[in-house]
Amino acid sequence: MQTVLSIAVDALAYGMVLFVISIGLSVTMGLMRVVNLAHGAFAMIGGYIASYAAHDLGLGYAAAVLLAVVGTVIISIPIERLLYRRIYGAPELTQVLMTIGITFCIIGIANYVFGPTLKTIPLPGSLQGSVDLGFRTIGTHRIFAIVCGLIVALALWYTIEKTSFGVKLRASVDNAAMAAALGVRTEVVYAVSFAVAVGLAAFGGVVGAELLPVEPYYALRYMVTFLVVVSVGGAGSISGALLACLILGCIDTTGRYLMPEYGEFFFYLAVIAIICVFPRGFAGRTK
């Protein structure tokens, strides 16, 4: 029973970290129609900035997280204006080639500026201990990651489904020309959506650094993982992405606990099985 509980907690925490990072990619792919393979690079930038803020600037964990999110968004603004706007509506192959090129550039610049070493983000004392539930103790950081994932899911759902910005975003996606004719500033909507996606990637990169270590080739190592999560969940679906992260996180964690010698075999076996049953993902759109 102790093993089952340990697997369940670690799987839930891992799944929530995947969700926080991947949901931004789901937004850009499903709502903005951009295959952004550089998404993991922005998560890496967030981790690097947070590590620098904590170790070199001596800032606390909360300040490091805030600086990582804000700094990554600021870095992404010129990239979005100069590069991404050129590929909105472009063929998918063009988007893939452009974003892979951006990924390699970001990796090179980050390693040149911060050095090609593993980056750690020290946790505050409040997140280093454990919480005693009576029958089991759970790491505080695991609980923190789970809560962050739930908050992000609820906030995104409310923003997209219940606010005027969400209406403008969905209108811009369905028919950008008509939305612009009705007074919607589509460029601003896309820019804000991209900034939110990048900010979430950076936030997830910092919060999940204990589970997905920030290292020189982070963007390439986890690129396929983030893309797979979005594909299984259905691009643009918050509930689908959350379900995909929880299921795949559970399968991957269970496999690593019980049969670590198989690596990620069970993760990708599950992906193949799910895609065979749900070709468009759990909540994929028909068009």
Side-chain angles (χ1 to χ4, degrees), residues 13-88:
Y14 178 59
M16 283 302 186
V17 168
L18 280 181
F19 173 77
V20 174
I21 300 176
S22 301
I23 190 59
L25 179 58
S26 182
V27 169
T28 55
M29 287 184 62
L31 298 180
M32 298 174 64
R33 304 290 195 270
V34 177
V35 183
N36 182 20
L37 297 188
H39 189 75
F42 293 108
M44 184 183 76
I45 290 175
Y48 270 65
I49 293 177
S51 178
Y52 176 79
H55 289 290
D56 296 272
L57 300 182
L59 300 180
Y61 186 76
V65 172
L66 180 60
L67 183 61
V69 173
V70 174
T72 306
V73 170
I74 291 175
I75 291 172
S76 74
I77 291 175
I79 297 177
E80 191 273 338
R81 290 183 62 87
L82 298 176
L83 299 178
Y84 279 88
R85 289 193 183 183
R86 299 175 182 271
I87 60 175
Y88 290 154

Side-chain angles (χ1 to χ4, degrees), residues 48 103 158 212 274:
Y48 270 65
T103 298
Y158 182 82
L212 302 178
I274 293 171

Side-chain angles (χ1 to χ4, degrees), residues 190-275:
Y190 282 140
V192 172
S193 301
F194 185 81
V196 171
V198 166
L200 287 174
F203 179 67
V206 179
V207 171
E210 294 292 310
L211 300 173
L212 302 178
V214 181
E215 43 91 15
Y217 291 96
Y218 178 101
L220 292 178
R221 182 181 299 275
Y222 300 114
M223 176 195 294
V224 175
T225 301
F226 302 147
L227 187 62
V228 161
V229 167
V230 174
S231 300
V232 171
S237 171
I238 297 173
S239 59
L242 181 59
L243 180 61
C245 289
L246 293 179
I247 291 177
L248 294 177
C250 179
I251 293 172
D252 190 37
T253 303
T254 302
R256 291 178 185 276
Y257 259 92
L258 302 181
M259 288 174 281
E261 65 274 12
Y262 284 90
E264 297 181 336
F265 171 78
F266 294 104
F267 178 88
Y268 289 107
L269 180 63
V271 170
I272 293 172
I274 293 171
I275 293 300

